[in-house]
Amino acid sequence: MLTSVLLATAPTPLEWTPTVGIIMIIANIIAIAYGKFTIEYPSVEPAAPSPRFFGGFGLPAILATTAFGHILGAGIILGLHNIGRI
């Protein structure tokens, strides 16, 4: 009895769509732009394979900004899914 009630209240799963991918890309771009202006030492060693390609960021800055971008993107995607927009 309790299991059927819990399963009935479970939300529908979120399917991956190009919209979800675009939201994640935009969230990462925003996070990288935010990091570009707020990280005090963005080019700390170890260096990225091609620093020019990564905006002069070192590996720690790249990992930090993309991790923040994924957290931001997941929150946006889940929030939009919760209110029924995607």
Side-chain angles (χ1 to χ4, degrees):
M1 171 78 177
L2 182 61
T3 304
S4 62
V5 172
L6 289 176
L7 289 175
T9 62
T12 59
L14 175 64
E15 298 288 329
W16 187 90
T17 62
T19 304
V20 171
I22 290 169
I23 291 170
M24 187 59 77
I25 289 170
I26 291 170
N28 275 286
I29 290 171
I30 290 169
I32 290 169
Y34 181 74
K36 184 77 171 165
F37 294 111
T38 58
I39 296 176
E40 191 170 346
Y41 302 109
S43 58
V44 174
E45 295 290 328
S50 178
R52 213 168 27 101
F53 180 69
F54 293 107
F57 280 170
L59 191 59
I62 292 170
L63 292 175
T65 55
T66 55
F68 174 60
H70 278 76
I71 293 168
L72 184 65
I76 293 169
I77 291 166
L78 291 175
L80 288 173
H81 179 67
N82 235 3
I83 63 172
R85 294 289 186 182
I86 57 171

